[in-house]
PDB file of all heavy atoms in Angstrom:
ATOM      1  N   LEU E   5      52.868 -28.652 121.301  1.00 98.00           N
ATOM      2  CA  LEU E   5      53.530 -28.147 122.525  1.00 98.00           C
ATOM      3  C   LEU E   5      52.556 -27.849 123.688  1.00 98.00           C
ATOM      4  O   LEU E   5      52.881 -27.633 124.709  1.00 98.00           O
ATOM      5  CB  LEU E   5      54.407 -26.918 122.203  1.00 98.00           C
ATOM      6  CG  LEU E   5      55.606 -27.074 121.408  1.00 98.00           C
ATOM      7  CD1 LEU E   5      56.098 -25.840 120.887  1.00 98.00           C
ATOM      8  CD2 LEU E   5      56.690 -27.766 122.385  1.00 98.00           C
ATOM      9  N   ALA E   6      51.185 -28.042 123.316  1.00 98.00           N
ATOM     10  CA  ALA E   6      50.202 -27.820 124.390  1.00 98.00           C
ATOM     11  C   ALA E   6      50.492 -28.801 125.488  1.00 98.00           C
ATOM     12  O   ALA E   6      50.751 -29.986 125.408  1.00 98.00           O
ATOM     13  CB  ALA E   6      48.869 -28.049 123.819  1.00 98.00           C
ATOM     14  N   ASP E   7      50.349 -28.165 126.748  1.00 97.00           N
ATOM     15  CA  ASP E   7      50.535 -28.947 127.965  1.00 97.00           C
ATOM     16  C   ASP E   7      51.984 -29.400 128.268  1.00 97.00           C
ATOM     17  O   ASP E   7      52.228 -30.139 129.271  1.00 97.00           O
ATOM     18  CB  ASP E   7      49.536 -30.007 128.099  1.00 97.00           C
ATOM     19  CG  ASP E   7      48.129 -29.417 128.315  1.00 97.00           C
ATOM     20  OD1 ASP E   7      47.938 -28.474 128.938  1.00 97.00           O
ATOM     21  OD2 ASP E   7      47.261 -30.081 127.762  1.00 97.00           O
ATOM     22  N   LYS E   8      52.871 -29.162 127.353  1.00 98.00           N
ATOM     23  CA  LYS E   8      54.229 -29.699 127.450  1.00 98.00           C
ATOM     24  C   LYS E   8      54.894 -28.721 128.563  1.00 98.00           C
ATOM     25  O   LYS E   8      54.648 -27.488 128.652  1.00 98.00           O
ATOM     26  CB  LYS E   8      55.035 -29.568 126.151  1.00 98.00           C
ATOM     27  CG  LYS E   8      54.495 -30.565 125.151  1.00 98.00           C
ATOM     28  CD  LYS E   8      55.083 -31.935 125.506  1.00 98.00           C
ATOM     29  CE  LYS E   8      54.863 -32.976 124.415  1.00 98.00           C
ATOM     30  NZ  LYS E   8      53.814 -33.100 123.528  1.00 98.00           N
ATOM     31  N   THR E   9      55.890 -29.309 129.306  1.00 98.00           N
ATOM     32  CA  THR E   9      56.643 -28.492 130.283  1.00 98.00           C
ATOM     33  C   THR E   9      57.867 -28.046 129.594  1.00 98.00           C
ATOM     34  O   THR E   9      58.656 -28.896 129.121  1.00 98.00           O
ATOM     35  CB  THR E   9      56.905 -29.293 131.584  1.00 98.00           C
ATOM     36  OG1 THR E   9      55.709 -29.714 132.090  1.00 98.00           O
ATOM     37  CG2 THR E   9      57.706 -28.497 132.587  1.00 98.00           C
ATOM     38  N   VAL E  10      58.103 -26.696 129.529  1.00 98.00           N
ATOM     39  CA  VAL E  10      59.235 -26.176 128.906  1.00 98.00           C
ATOM     40  C   VAL E  10      60.106 -25.225 129.894  1.00 98.00           C
ATOM     41  O   VAL E  10      59.513 -24.500 130.582  1.00 98.00           O
ATOM     42  CB  VAL E  10      58.691 -25.262 127.734  1.00 98.00           C
ATOM     43  CG1 VAL E  10      59.903 -24.686 127.001  1.00 98.00           C
ATOM     44  CG2 VAL E  10      57.794 -26.005 126.748  1.00 98.00           C
ATOM     45  N   VAL E  11      61.394 -25.525 129.868  1.00 98.00           N
ATOM     46  CA  VAL E  11      62.274 -24.767 130.624  1.00 98.00           C
ATOM     47  C   VAL E  11      63.002 -23.827 129.681  1.00 98.00           C
ATOM     48  O   VAL E  11      63.600 -24.295 128.662  1.00 98.00           O
ATOM     49  CB  VAL E  11      63.328 -25.544 131.441  1.00 98.00           C
ATOM     50  CG1 VAL E  11      64.300 -24.649 132.070  1.00 98.00           C
ATOM     51  CG2 VAL E  11      62.593 -26.410 132.541  1.00 98.00           C
ATOM     52  N   GLY E  31      50.379 -23.108 124.106  1.00 98.00           N
ATOM     53  CA  GLY E  31      49.770 -23.916 125.165  1.00 98.00           C
ATOM     54  C   GLY E  31      50.694 -24.580 126.186  1.00 98.00           C
ATOM     55  O   GLY E  31      50.224 -25.481 126.969  1.00 98.00           O
ATOM     56  N   ALA E  32      51.967 -24.221 126.101  1.00 98.00           N
ATOM     57  CA  ALA E  32      52.925 -24.873 126.901  1.00 98.00           C
ATOM     58  C   ALA E  32      52.937 -24.300 128.360  1.00 98.00           C
ATOM     59  O   ALA E  32      52.365 -23.215 128.573  1.00 98.00           O
ATOM     60  CB  ALA E  32      54.361 -24.761 126.330  1.00 98.00           C
ATOM     61  N   LYS E  33      53.477 -25.050 129.306  1.00 98.00           N
ATOM     62  CA  LYS E  33      53.650 -24.608 130.682  1.00 98.00           C
ATOM     63  C   LYS E  33      55.136 -24.223 130.807  1.00 98.00           C
ATOM     64  O   LYS E  33      55.876 -25.085 130.384  1.00 98.00           O
ATOM     65  CB  LYS E  33      53.339 -25.707 131.710  1.00 98.00           C
ATOM     66  CG  LYS E  33      51.832 -25.979 131.603  1.00 98.00           C
ATOM     67  CD  LYS E  33      51.527 -27.346 132.296  1.00 98.00           C
ATOM     68  CE  LYS E  33      52.090 -28.493 131.815  1.00 98.00           C
ATOM     69  NZ  LYS E  33      51.786 -29.843 132.454  1.00 98.00           N
ATOM     70  N   VAL E  34      55.435 -23.019 131.171  1.00 98.00           N
ATOM     71  CA  VAL E  34      56.792 -22.514 131.011  1.00 98.00           C
ATOM     72  C   VAL E  34      57.454 -22.219 132.270  1.00 98.00           C
ATOM     73  O   VAL E  34      56.961 -21.466 133.158  1.00 98.00           O
ATOM     74  CB  VAL E  34      56.885 -21.188 130.119  1.00 98.00           C
ATOM     75  CG1 VAL E  34      58.294 -20.798 129.906  1.00 98.00           C
ATOM     76  CG2 VAL E  34      56.128 -21.525 128.768  1.00 98.00           C
ATOM     77  N   CYS E  35      58.577 -22.771 132.486  1.00 98.00           N
ATOM     78  CA  CYS E  35      59.567 -22.491 133.663  1.00 98.00           C
ATOM     79  C   CYS E  35      60.511 -21.459 133.047  1.00 98.00           C
ATOM     80  O   CYS E  35      61.409 -21.883 132.357  1.00 98.00           O
ATOM     81  CB  CYS E  35      60.219 -23.659 134.200  1.00 98.00           C
ATOM     82  SG  CYS E  35      61.533 -23.189 135.296  1.00 98.00           S
ATOM     83  N   ALA E  73      60.652 -26.496 138.554  1.00 98.00           N
ATOM     84  CA  ALA E  73      59.937 -26.729 137.431  1.00 98.00           C
ATOM     85  C   ALA E  73      59.062 -27.954 137.444  1.00 98.00           C
ATOM     86  O   ALA E  73      57.808 -27.927 137.185  1.00 98.00           O
ATOM     87  CB  ALA E  73      60.853 -26.733 136.122  1.00 98.00           C
ATOM     88  N   GLU E  74      59.704 -28.982 137.939  1.00 98.00           N
ATOM     89  CA  GLU E  74      58.985 -30.387 137.989  1.00 98.00           C
ATOM     90  C   GLU E  74      57.836 -30.262 139.005  1.00 98.00           C
ATOM     91  O   GLU E  74      56.773 -30.865 138.837  1.00 98.00           O
ATOM     92  CB  GLU E  74      59.995 -31.511 138.308  1.00 98.00           C
ATOM     93  CG  GLU E  74      60.968 -31.795 137.158  1.00 98.00           C
ATOM     94  CD  GLU E  74      62.222 -32.461 137.572  1.00 98.00           C
ATOM     95  OE1 GLU E  74      62.457 -32.758 138.790  1.00 98.00           O
ATOM     96  OE2 GLU E  74      62.989 -32.953 136.722  1.00 98.00           O
ATOM     97  N   ALA E  76      56.236 -27.643 139.880  1.00 98.00           N
ATOM     98  CA  ALA E  76      55.091 -26.834 139.331  1.00 98.00           C
ATOM     99  C   ALA E  76      54.339 -27.459 138.279  1.00 98.00           C
ATOM    100  O   ALA E  76      53.081 -27.421 138.228  1.00 98.00           O
ATOM    101  CB  ALA E  76      55.593 -25.507 138.835  1.00 98.00           C
ATOM    102  N   PHE E  77      55.055 -28.100 137.306  1.00 98.00           N
ATOM    103  CA  PHE E  77      54.326 -28.587 135.986  1.00 98.00           C
ATOM    104  C   PHE E  77      54.525 -29.985 135.682  1.00 98.00           C
ATOM    105  O   PHE E  77      54.183 -30.408 134.632  1.00 98.00           O
ATOM    106  CB  PHE E  77      54.800 -27.623 134.920  1.00 98.00           C
ATOM    107  CG  PHE E  77      54.519 -26.200 135.058  1.00 98.00           C
ATOM    108  CD1 PHE E  77      55.461 -25.155 134.859  1.00 98.00           C
ATOM    109  CD2 PHE E  77      53.224 -25.771 135.408  1.00 98.00           C
ATOM    110  CE1 PHE E  77      55.164 -23.850 134.969  1.00 98.00           C
ATOM    111  CE2 PHE E  77      52.862 -24.396 135.569  1.00 98.00           C
ATOM    112  CZ  PHE E  77      53.858 -23.415 135.329  1.00 98.00           C
ATOM    113  N   GLY E  78      55.351 -30.707 136.447  1.00 97.00           N
ATOM    114  CA  GLY E  78      55.728 -32.099 136.019  1.00 97.00           C
ATOM    115  C   GLY E  78      56.950 -32.152 135.208  1.00 97.00           C
ATOM    116  O   GLY E  78      57.666 -31.210 135.008  1.00 97.00           O
ATOM    117  N   PRO E  79      57.298 -33.345 134.742  1.00 97.00           N
ATOM    118  CA  PRO E  79      58.565 -33.687 134.066  1.00 97.00           C
ATOM    119  C   PRO E  79      58.874 -32.717 132.823  1.00 97.00           C
ATOM    120  O   PRO E  79      57.881 -32.373 132.088  1.00 97.00           O
ATOM    121  CB  PRO E  79      58.478 -34.994 133.575  1.00 97.00           C
ATOM    122  CG  PRO E  79      57.427 -35.639 134.390  1.00 97.00           C
ATOM    123  CD  PRO E  79      56.458 -34.587 134.807  1.00 97.00           C
ATOM    124  N   VAL E  80      60.084 -32.282 132.694  1.00 98.00           N
ATOM    125  CA  VAL E  80      60.397 -31.387 131.599  1.00 98.00           C
ATOM    126  C   VAL E  80      60.365 -31.999 130.172  1.00 98.00           C
ATOM    127  O   VAL E  80      61.199 -33.015 129.988  1.00 98.00           O
ATOM    128  CB  VAL E  80      61.768 -30.722 131.908  1.00 98.00           C
ATOM    129  CG1 VAL E  80      62.187 -29.868 130.753  1.00 98.00           C
ATOM    130  CG2 VAL E  80      61.583 -29.865 133.207  1.00 98.00           C
ATOM    131  N   ASP E  81      59.604 -31.616 129.281  1.00 98.00           N
ATOM    132  CA  ASP E  81      59.683 -32.089 127.958  1.00 98.00           C
ATOM    133  C   ASP E  81      60.576 -31.429 127.013  1.00 98.00           C
ATOM    134  O   ASP E  81      61.093 -32.074 126.042  1.00 98.00           O
ATOM    135  CB  ASP E  81      58.198 -31.949 127.372  1.00 98.00           C
ATOM    136  CG  ASP E  81      57.125 -32.739 128.185  1.00 98.00           C
ATOM    137  OD1 ASP E  81      57.058 -33.929 128.180  1.00 98.00           O
ATOM    138  OD2 ASP E  81      56.346 -31.933 128.799  1.00 98.00           O
ATOM    139  N   VAL E  82      60.773 -30.109 127.221  1.00 98.00           N
ATOM    140  CA  VAL E  82      61.551 -29.259 126.282  1.00 98.00           C
ATOM    141  C   VAL E  82      62.426 -28.380 127.179  1.00 98.00           C
ATOM    142  O   VAL E  82      62.002 -27.687 128.082  1.00 98.00           O
ATOM    143  CB  VAL E  82      60.632 -28.386 125.367  1.00 98.00           C
ATOM    144  CG1 VAL E  82      61.452 -27.411 124.596  1.00 98.00           C
ATOM    145  CG2 VAL E  82      59.754 -29.214 124.553  1.00 98.00           C
ATOM    146  N   LEU E  83      63.730 -28.380 126.826  1.00 99.00           N
ATOM    147  CA  LEU E  83      64.681 -27.454 127.306  1.00 99.00           C
ATOM    148  C   LEU E  83      65.115 -26.583 126.319  1.00 99.00           C
ATOM    149  O   LEU E  83      65.674 -26.856 125.173  1.00 99.00           O
ATOM    150  CB  LEU E  83      65.930 -28.275 127.889  1.00 99.00           C
ATOM    151  CG  LEU E  83      67.228 -27.398 128.223  1.00 99.00           C
ATOM    152  CD1 LEU E  83      66.959 -26.441 129.344  1.00 99.00           C
ATOM    153  CD2 LEU E  83      68.379 -28.294 128.529  1.00 99.00           C
ATOM    154  N   MET E 125      63.978 -37.411 130.470  1.00 98.00           N
ATOM    155  CA  MET E 125      63.540 -37.533 129.049  1.00 98.00           C
ATOM    156  C   MET E 125      63.777 -38.956 128.581  1.00 98.00           C
ATOM    157  O   MET E 125      62.977 -39.558 127.889  1.00 98.00           O
ATOM    158  CB  MET E 125      64.322 -36.513 128.220  1.00 98.00           C
ATOM    159  CG  MET E 125      63.909 -35.013 128.428  1.00 98.00           C
ATOM    160  SD  MET E 125      64.849 -33.962 127.290  1.00 98.00           S
ATOM    161  CE  MET E 125      64.164 -32.345 127.626  1.00 98.00           C
ATOM    162  N   ARG E 128      61.256 -41.268 129.976  1.00 96.00           N
ATOM    163  CA  ARG E 128      59.904 -41.079 129.428  1.00 96.00           C
ATOM    164  C   ARG E 128      59.883 -41.387 127.906  1.00 96.00           C
ATOM    165  O   ARG E 128      58.763 -41.212 127.322  1.00 96.00           O
ATOM    166  CB  ARG E 128      59.382 -39.757 129.692  1.00 96.00           C
ATOM    167  CG  ARG E 128      59.212 -39.469 131.277  1.00 96.00           C
ATOM    168  CD  ARG E 128      58.967 -38.071 131.611  1.00 96.00           C
ATOM    169  NE  ARG E 128      57.673 -37.731 131.297  1.00 96.00           N
ATOM    170  CZ  ARG E 128      57.204 -36.629 130.666  1.00 96.00           C
ATOM    171  NH1 ARG E 128      58.096 -35.839 130.201  1.00 96.00           N
ATOM    172  NH2 ARG E 128      55.972 -36.390 130.446  1.00 96.00           N
ATOM    173  N   ALA E 132      62.918 -32.688 123.745  1.00 98.00           N
ATOM    174  CA  ALA E 132      63.685 -31.832 122.782  1.00 98.00           C
ATOM    175  C   ALA E 132      64.535 -30.792 123.556  1.00 98.00           C
ATOM    176  O   ALA E 132      64.030 -30.266 124.526  1.00 98.00           O
ATOM    177  CB  ALA E 132      62.640 -31.098 121.856  1.00 98.00           C
TER     178      ALA E 132
END
Side-chain angles (χ1 to χ4, degrees):
L5 288 165
D7 292 324
K8 293 282 188 330
T9 300
V10 179
V11 171
K33 298 170 289 184
V34 183
C35 168
E74 289 163 351
F77 297 135
V80 173
D81 301 291
V82 174
L83 165 62
M125 289 180 178
R128 297 173 75 230

